[in-house]
Amino acid sequence: MVVTKYCLIIIDLLNDYLDDRDADQVRRLVQNTNSLISAFRRLHLPVIWVRQEFRRDLSDAFLEMRDKRIAIAIEGTPGAQLHSGLDWHSVDPTIVKKRYSAFFKTELDQMLMEFGVGELVLCGVNTHACIRTTAIDAYQRDFRVILAAECIGSYDEEHERVSLDYMNGKIAKVATVSQISRTLSAI
C-alpha cells in the first residue's frame, strides 16, 4: 500500500473577501477550517496559507481589477490580512498569489515537492474562481484533490454549485470535515 502525504491549503480567507458575508457563515467557515488545521497539525502534516495581495497602483493585479480600478486585497491594508479567527501560526508557510490559482507564478509546486505531498485538501474562497483554478492546476500536476465541503465558499451560489458539480468525482472529491478527519486518523 502506498501512503500519500496530505497537505492542507487554505486560500484567500482574507478580511476583504469575508467582511461582506453573513457573520454566521463566516464563523462556521473559520471554525470548520480551524478543525481541519488541528487535525493536520496533530499529525504533523503541512498547512500552507495562500493569500492574494496587490500593489496600491494595481500594476500587479489581473486585468479586470486594473480595467475597473477594483482595489481589494491591497498590500499593507487590514483587508489583505487573514481573518483574525483563523489558527495561523507565524511559522506556517504562506504564499502570496496574484491570480486565481495558487500555483500561478508561486513557489507552491516546489513546496509540495519538498514536503513530499501527493494529496491536497483545499479550503477557502471563492469556490468558482480561486478554489476551482487551484484544484484544476493541482489535478494537472497529478495531485489528488479533496475539497473540504464546509471550508469552502463563494459569494456566487450558482457558480459555486456549477463548479462543485463539474469538479466532484472528476478532478476532485468533495468531502466533509469529519470524512477528511477520519481519513487522516487512519494514516
Side-chain angles (χ1 to χ4, degrees), residues 8-46:
L8 181 62
I9 299 179
I10 303 159
I11 302 171
D12 288 342
L13 290 181
L14 307 178
N15 294 323
D16 273 352
Y17 298 142
L18 298 176
D19 283 349
D20 291 339
R21 298 188 188 208
D22 176 74
D24 287 335
Q25 180 187 35
V26 171
R27 183 184 46 74
R28 284 189 303 275
L29 182 67
V30 168
Q31 286 176 343
N32 288 320
T33 301
N34 283 341
S35 291
L36 270 184
I37 292 167
S38 293
F40 273 75
R41 287 201 173 125
R42 272 192 303 277
L43 295 169
H44 306 286
L45 293 170

Side-chain angles (χ1 to χ4, degrees), residues 119-171:
E119 191 148 350
L120 307 179
V121 177
L122 301 183
C123 299
V125 296
N126 282 302
T127 305
H128 68 281
C130 299
I131 299 298
R132 182 175 172 152
T133 57
T134 299
I136 290 169
D137 282 355
Y139 180 77
Q140 294 290 328
R141 289 164 169 82
D142 294 327
F143 290 105
R144 297 197 183 279
V145 179
I146 300 171
L147 303 174
E150 305 98 329
C151 303
I152 57 176
S154 180
Y155 65 85
D156 187 322
E157 291 179 21
E158 178 64 15
H159 279 105
E160 179 176 43
R161 184 192 60 73
V162 169
S163 292
L164 288 173
D165 287 347
Y166 166 73
M167 290 185 285
N168 192 27
K170 297 171 189 74
I171 64 164

Side-chain angles (χ1 to χ4, degrees), residues 64-149:
E64 180 187 18
M65 289 182 70
R66 285 184 273 163
D67 292 347
K68 296 180 180 178
R69 304 299 303 158
I70 300 169
I72 193 164
I74 302 302
E75 64 186 359
T77 67
Q81 299 306 308
L82 295 167
H83 186 281
S84 63
L86 291 163
D87 187 20
W88 175 81
H89 294 177
S90 60
V91 295
D92 292 340
T94 303
I95 293 172
V96 174
K97 69 180 177 69
K98 304 292 181 178
R99 297 297 184 267
Y100 289 163
S101 176
F103 287 95
F104 185 79
K105 294 186 179 182
T106 71
E107 62 275 13
L108 184 56
D109 274 320
Q110 183 64 34
M111 250 185 226
L112 295 173
M113 188 174 68
E114 288 171 9
F115 288 139
V117 169
E119 191 148 350
L120 307 179
V121 177
L122 301 183
C123 299
V125 296
N126 282 302
T127 305
H128 68 281
C130 299
I131 299 298
R132 182 175 172 152
T133 57
T134 299
I136 290 169
D137 282 355
Y139 180 77
Q140 294 290 328
R141 289 164 169 82
D142 294 327
F143 290 105
R144 297 197 183 279
V145 179
I146 300 171
L147 303 174

